[in-house]
């Protein structure tokens, strides 16, 4: 079964809007795990507008499932990851002022840089994942970057799924097959939700993990956090 990693950035955004500690990020992360989530994801950014570096340190102390840190590999980010030693680091090519991740790596142009970074993390026992667009050539070159996994950037799938699911999934299925051929693990994330997640999981071979934050937290406003996590876990079950 594909693992569900809950991105708790939006919880930190809400907390930061008023200051103080409401909602309690640490308690929410604990509750996500208690309700069945198999991982916690964070994406700290330089301006600290949601997850802060100190949050990352505090979460490391209490997360009992898989801990995944996403981010652009600046020196400060690399130092944080090497200090905290999460289970997984996901490298994304975000500009410092990016609202959200909106593109994958050019694994040809940045191959040498990514290779060096991946090697540094892997020496410390940290699994690496590289955020890529659904292009087979980028998956092929991700292998040459020395990564353990790729994370497929799924905004394009989410946008096109309501129009034509079969067309929307095609490039992602091709990339998954290429990743398997290259010996890479497959993660996915961005705009996956209760409407499109099951079809994605049904059609992506050997999908190991999805990271979902914004849509899941929005659903939780209506359904409650426990019910929402249960529904996402149900959507990831493959019907044979």
């Amino acid at each position: 079964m594909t693992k569900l990693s809950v991105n708790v950035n939006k919880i930190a955004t809400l907390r930061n809007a008023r200051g103080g500690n409401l909602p309690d990020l640490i308690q929410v992360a604990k509750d996500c795990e208690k309700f069945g989530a198999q991982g916690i994801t964070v994406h700290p950014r330089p301006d600290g507008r949601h997850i802060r570096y100190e949050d990352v340190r505090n979460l490391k102390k209490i997360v009992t499932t898989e801990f995944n840190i996403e981010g652009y590999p600046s020196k400060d980010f690399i130092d944080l990851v090497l200090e905290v030693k999460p289970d997984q680091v996901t490298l994304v090519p975000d500009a410092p002022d990016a609202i959200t991740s909106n593109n994958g790596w050019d694994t040809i142009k940045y191959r040498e840089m990514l290779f060096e970074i991946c090697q540094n993390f892997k020496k410390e026992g940290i699994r690496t994942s590289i955020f890529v667009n659904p292009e087979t050539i980028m998956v092929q070159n991700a292998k040459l970057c020395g990564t353990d996994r790729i994370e497929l950037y799924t905004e394009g799938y989410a946008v096109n799924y309501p129009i034509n699911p079969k067309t929307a999934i095609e490039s992602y299925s091709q990339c998954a097959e290429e990743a398997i051929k290259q010996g890479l693990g497959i993660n996915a994330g961005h705009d996956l939700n209760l409407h499109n997640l099951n079809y994605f999981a049904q059609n992506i071979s050997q999908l190991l993990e999805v990271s979902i934050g914004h849509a899941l937290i929005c659903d939780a406003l209506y359904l409650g956090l426990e019910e929402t996590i249960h529904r996402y876990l149900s959507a990831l079950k493959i019907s044979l």
Side-chain angles (χ1 to χ4, degrees), residues 69-115:
I69 304 178
E70 299 180 347
Y72 179 81
S74 64
K75 183 182 184 305
D76 287 345
F77 178 84
I78 290 172
D79 289 346
L80 176 70
V81 172
L82 292 175
E83 173 194 344
V84 172
K85 292 184 172 61
D87 301 288
Q88 176 175 269
V89 57
T90 301
L91 304 176
V92 297
D94 279 353
D97 60 348
I99 295 176
T100 186
S101 304
N102 58 10
N103 201 12
W105 284 100
D106 183 334
T107 55
I108 300 171
K109 181 177 180 180
Y110 295 102
R111 183 191 303 166
E112 290 186 10
M113 180 190 82
L114 291 169
F115 180 83

Side-chain angles (χ1 to χ4, degrees), residues 7 18 23 25 50-51 54 72 74 90 118 123 127 129 133 140-141 204 229 234 237:
N7 187 318
R18 284 286 296 267
L25 178 73
H50 35 63
I51 291 292
E54 195 59 29
Y72 179 81
S74 64
T90 301
C118 286
K123 286 177 185 176
R127 185 172 70 238
S129 179
N133 294 330
Q140 291 167 356
N141 281 276
I204 299 299
I229 288 176
S234 179
K237 292 179 181 177

Side-chain angles (χ1 to χ4, degrees), residues 134-136 139 169-179 203-204:
E135 302 169 24
T136 54
V139 176
I169 200 71
E170 185 174 5
S171 63
Y172 293 89
S173 298
Q174 292 170 354
C175 284
E177 294 299 331
E178 183 61 36
N203 287 279
I204 299 299

